[in-house]
Short mmCIF file of all heavy atoms in Angstrom, two decimals:
data_model
loop_
_atom_site.label_atom_id
_atom_site.label_comp_id
_atom_site.label_asym_id
_atom_site.label_seq_id
_atom_site.Cartn_x
_atom_site.Cartn_y
_atom_site.Cartn_z
N TYR A 13 -91.31 88.34 95.68
CA TYR A 13 -91.48 89.81 95.77
C TYR A 13 -91.30 90.41 94.43
O TYR A 13 -90.24 90.20 93.75
CB TYR A 13 -90.43 90.42 96.73
CG TYR A 13 -90.70 90.21 98.27
CD1 TYR A 13 -89.83 89.48 99.00
CD2 TYR A 13 -91.89 90.71 98.83
CE1 TYR A 13 -90.03 89.24 100.32
CE2 TYR A 13 -92.08 90.46 100.18
CZ TYR A 13 -91.15 89.74 100.95
OH TYR A 13 -91.43 89.52 102.22
N LYS A 14 -92.31 91.09 94.01
CA LYS A 14 -92.19 91.85 92.69
C LYS A 14 -91.61 93.24 92.93
O LYS A 14 -92.01 93.94 93.82
CB LYS A 14 -93.57 92.00 92.07
CG LYS A 14 -94.33 90.75 91.81
CD LYS A 14 -94.69 90.67 90.34
CE LYS A 14 -95.34 89.32 90.05
NZ LYS A 14 -94.35 88.23 89.68
N THR A 15 -90.49 93.47 92.28
CA THR A 15 -89.88 94.82 92.46
C THR A 15 -89.93 95.53 91.08
O THR A 15 -89.57 94.88 90.06
CB THR A 15 -88.43 94.68 92.98
OG1 THR A 15 -87.81 93.64 92.33
CG2 THR A 15 -88.41 94.44 94.44
N LEU A 21 -87.91 88.65 93.24
CA LEU A 21 -87.07 87.94 94.18
C LEU A 21 -87.81 86.84 94.84
O LEU A 21 -88.91 87.04 95.44
CB LEU A 21 -86.62 89.03 95.23
CG LEU A 21 -85.57 88.48 96.19
CD1 LEU A 21 -84.37 89.37 96.27
CD2 LEU A 21 -86.10 88.23 97.59
N LEU A 22 -87.30 85.64 94.71
CA LEU A 22 -87.90 84.43 95.29
C LEU A 22 -87.41 84.31 96.78
O LEU A 22 -86.35 83.81 97.02
CB LEU A 22 -87.57 83.26 94.48
CG LEU A 22 -88.18 81.91 94.88
CD1 LEU A 22 -89.74 82.00 94.86
CD2 LEU A 22 -87.71 80.80 93.97
N ALA A 23 -88.17 84.91 97.71
CA ALA A 23 -87.73 85.02 99.14
C ALA A 23 -88.01 83.71 99.84
O ALA A 23 -87.26 83.31 100.75
CB ALA A 23 -88.37 86.17 99.83
N VAL A 24 -89.14 83.02 99.48
CA VAL A 24 -89.49 81.69 100.10
C VAL A 24 -89.68 80.73 98.95
O VAL A 24 -90.51 81.03 98.04
CB VAL A 24 -90.71 81.82 101.03
CG1 VAL A 24 -91.13 80.43 101.51
CG2 VAL A 24 -90.40 82.73 102.18
N GLY A 41 -81.40 80.58 110.17
CA GLY A 41 -80.88 80.76 108.83
C GLY A 41 -80.20 82.11 108.79
O GLY A 41 -80.50 83.00 109.59
N PRO A 42 -79.31 82.35 107.84
CA PRO A 42 -78.57 83.54 107.77
C PRO A 42 -79.41 84.77 107.37
O PRO A 42 -80.60 84.53 106.95
CB PRO A 42 -77.50 83.28 106.64
CG PRO A 42 -77.92 82.11 105.94
CD PRO A 42 -78.87 81.36 106.81
N ASN A 43 -78.92 85.93 107.38
CA ASN A 43 -79.66 87.14 107.02
C ASN A 43 -80.13 86.92 105.58
O ASN A 43 -79.44 86.48 104.67
CB ASN A 43 -78.69 88.43 106.96
CG ASN A 43 -78.29 88.85 108.37
OD1 ASN A 43 -77.16 89.16 108.60
ND2 ASN A 43 -79.17 88.79 109.31
N GLY A 44 -81.43 87.29 105.37
CA GLY A 44 -82.00 87.20 104.04
C GLY A 44 -82.43 85.85 103.62
O GLY A 44 -82.81 85.63 102.50
N ALA A 45 -82.39 84.88 104.59
CA ALA A 45 -82.78 83.53 104.22
C ALA A 45 -84.27 83.36 103.97
O ALA A 45 -84.71 82.40 103.29
CB ALA A 45 -82.40 82.58 105.44
N GLY A 46 -85.13 84.30 104.44
CA GLY A 46 -86.54 84.27 104.25
C GLY A 46 -87.35 83.95 105.47
O GLY A 46 -88.56 83.74 105.38
N LYS A 47 -86.75 84.01 106.64
CA LYS A 47 -87.47 83.68 107.85
C LYS A 47 -88.60 84.64 108.16
O LYS A 47 -89.71 84.24 108.41
CB LYS A 47 -86.44 83.70 109.09
CG LYS A 47 -85.23 82.81 108.88
CD LYS A 47 -84.25 82.89 110.07
CE LYS A 47 -83.69 84.25 110.30
NZ LYS A 47 -82.76 84.74 109.19
N SER A 48 -88.27 86.00 108.08
CA SER A 48 -89.36 87.01 108.42
C SER A 48 -90.36 87.02 107.32
O SER A 48 -91.59 87.20 107.68
CB SER A 48 -88.69 88.38 108.50
OG SER A 48 -87.78 88.40 109.55
N THR A 49 -90.04 86.69 106.05
CA THR A 49 -91.03 86.64 105.06
C THR A 49 -91.99 85.51 105.33
O THR A 49 -93.21 85.67 105.24
CB THR A 49 -90.37 86.38 103.68
OG1 THR A 49 -89.48 87.51 103.49
CG2 THR A 49 -91.39 86.29 102.55
N LEU A 50 -91.45 84.34 105.78
CA LEU A 50 -92.28 83.20 106.11
C LEU A 50 -93.23 83.53 107.20
O LEU A 50 -94.43 83.16 107.15
CB LEU A 50 -91.35 82.05 106.46
CG LEU A 50 -91.93 80.62 106.46
CD1 LEU A 50 -92.59 80.27 105.11
CD2 LEU A 50 -90.88 79.59 106.82
N ASN A 58 -98.68 89.05 104.62
CA ASN A 58 -98.30 88.92 103.22
C ASN A 58 -99.00 87.68 102.69
O ASN A 58 -99.40 86.82 103.48
CB ASN A 58 -96.77 88.63 103.05
CG ASN A 58 -96.05 89.91 102.60
OD1 ASN A 58 -96.52 90.61 101.68
ND2 ASN A 58 -94.91 90.16 103.19
N GLN A 88 -89.91 91.29 113.97
CA GLN A 88 -88.54 91.58 114.19
C GLN A 88 -88.31 93.07 114.43
O GLN A 88 -87.50 93.42 115.28
CB GLN A 88 -87.75 91.08 112.93
CG GLN A 88 -86.27 91.29 112.98
CD GLN A 88 -85.61 90.63 111.81
OE1 GLN A 88 -86.21 90.16 110.87
NE2 GLN A 88 -84.27 90.66 111.80
N ASP A 164 -90.12 86.73 116.17
CA ASP A 164 -89.06 86.91 115.21
C ASP A 164 -87.94 87.63 115.89
O ASP A 164 -87.91 88.78 116.14
CB ASP A 164 -89.65 87.74 114.05
CG ASP A 164 -88.76 87.58 112.76
OD1 ASP A 164 -87.71 86.94 112.89
OD2 ASP A 164 -89.12 88.09 111.69
N GLU A 165 -86.91 86.82 116.16
CA GLU A 165 -85.68 87.32 116.85
C GLU A 165 -86.02 88.07 118.16
O GLU A 165 -85.65 89.27 118.23
CB GLU A 165 -84.81 88.17 115.88
CG GLU A 165 -84.33 87.30 114.80
CD GLU A 165 -83.19 88.03 113.91
OE1 GLU A 165 -82.47 88.86 114.54
OE2 GLU A 165 -83.15 87.84 112.75
N THR A 195 -87.51 82.67 115.70
CA THR A 195 -86.30 82.74 114.87
C THR A 195 -85.21 83.27 115.74
O THR A 195 -85.44 84.04 116.69
CB THR A 195 -86.42 83.65 113.63
OG1 THR A 195 -86.42 85.02 114.13
CG2 THR A 195 -87.69 83.42 112.88
N HIS A 197 -80.63 84.07 115.73
CA HIS A 197 -79.29 83.89 115.14
C HIS A 197 -78.32 83.31 116.21
O HIS A 197 -77.17 83.03 115.96
CB HIS A 197 -78.71 85.22 114.69
CG HIS A 197 -79.32 85.64 113.42
ND1 HIS A 197 -78.99 85.11 112.17
CD2 HIS A 197 -80.29 86.56 113.15
CE1 HIS A 197 -79.70 85.70 111.24
NE2 HIS A 197 -80.50 86.60 111.78
N VAL A 212 -83.09 77.26 107.29
CA VAL A 212 -83.44 77.76 105.93
C VAL A 212 -82.30 78.55 105.39
O VAL A 212 -81.51 79.22 106.10
CB VAL A 212 -84.73 78.63 105.88
CG1 VAL A 212 -85.99 77.79 106.09
CG2 VAL A 212 -84.73 79.76 106.91
N1 ATP B 1 -91.17 93.79 101.13
C1 ATP B 1 -90.09 93.28 100.47
N2 ATP B 1 -89.94 93.58 99.16
C2 ATP B 1 -88.94 93.09 98.38
N3 ATP B 1 -87.98 92.19 98.94
C3 ATP B 1 -88.13 91.87 100.20
C4 ATP B 1 -89.16 92.39 101.12
N4 ATP B 1 -89.01 91.83 102.31
C5 ATP B 1 -87.92 91.08 102.24
N5 ATP B 1 -87.41 91.08 101.02
C6 ATP B 1 -86.21 90.31 100.55
O1 ATP B 1 -86.51 88.89 100.79
C7 ATP B 1 -85.38 88.19 101.20
C8 ATP B 1 -85.63 87.47 102.56
O2 ATP B 1 -85.80 88.51 103.53
P1 ATP B 1 -86.28 88.16 105.02
O3 ATP B 1 -86.49 89.44 105.78
O4 ATP B 1 -87.41 87.25 104.96
O5 ATP B 1 -85.00 87.42 105.58
P2 ATP B 1 -84.67 86.92 107.09
O6 ATP B 1 -84.35 85.48 107.00
O7 ATP B 1 -85.73 87.31 107.99
O8 ATP B 1 -83.29 87.71 107.39
P3 ATP B 1 -82.75 88.38 108.78
O9 ATP B 1 -82.02 87.25 109.51
O10 ATP B 1 -81.78 89.42 108.31
O11 ATP B 1 -83.91 88.93 109.50
C9 ATP B 1 -84.26 89.22 101.30
O12 ATP B 1 -83.47 89.19 100.13
C10 ATP B 1 -85.00 90.55 101.31
O13 ATP B 1 -84.25 91.58 100.78
#
Side-chain angles (χ1 to χ4, degrees):
Y13 285 116
K14 300 236 175 275
T15 40
L21 189 129
L22 183 58
V24 173
N43 290 139
K47 304 178 298 294
S48 298
T49 300
L50 197 56
N58 258 318
Q88 183 172 3
D164 197 353
E165 295 191 34
T195 74
H197 285 283
V212 288

